[in-house]
Amino acid sequence: KDTVPIKFGTVKEAEATVKRVRRSGKSFARKIQILTVMEQRAKVMGKKAVVEVARKAKERLRKENALSSK
């Protein structure tokens, strides 16, 4: 089972998805892709709070990746 299930109906579900993505053993690029999919789908559905959760998670991942690559 190679997939990371994403749920983003509520902010709580979105935060749980972010946690699941961060713990997955996926590469940095794959994690960003998963969060981008969630962000784009939520945006189309008009869920602004969920979009913010996804955006902040992506920013945090990028910061952590930049620190670990130095």
Side-chain angles (χ1 to χ4, degrees), residues 5 7 9 11 16 22-23 26 36 42 45 56-58 66 68-69:
K7 288 187 178 181
V11 173
R22 290 175 54 80
R23 282 183 307 186
K26 308 287 182 204
T36 299
M45 295 170 76
K56 285 180 183 175
K58 286 181 3 182
S68 66
S69 64

Side-chain angles (χ1 to χ4, degrees), residues 2-3 5 8 15-16 23-25 36 39 41-42 45-46 65-66:
D2 190 38
T3 60
F8 53 91
E15 288 169 350
R23 282 183 307 186
S24 73
T36 299
E39 178 186 354
R41 290 179 183 177
M45 295 170 76
N65 190 55

Side-chain angles (χ1 to χ4, degrees), residues 50-68:
V50 174
V51 171
E52 275 307 304
V53 168
R55 234 179 239 152
K56 285 180 183 175
K58 286 181 3 182
E59 287 173 21
R60 185 174 170 193
L61 265 177
R62 286 188 181 113
K63 280 182 185 174
E64 288 173 0
N65 190 55
L67 291 175
S68 66

Side-chain angles (χ1 to χ4, degrees), residues 22-35:
R22 290 175 54 80
R23 282 183 307 186
S24 73
K26 308 287 182 204
S27 67
F28 166 75
R30 185 67 183 123
K31 289 177 183 178
I32 293 293
Q33 283 179 331
I34 294 166
L35 293 172

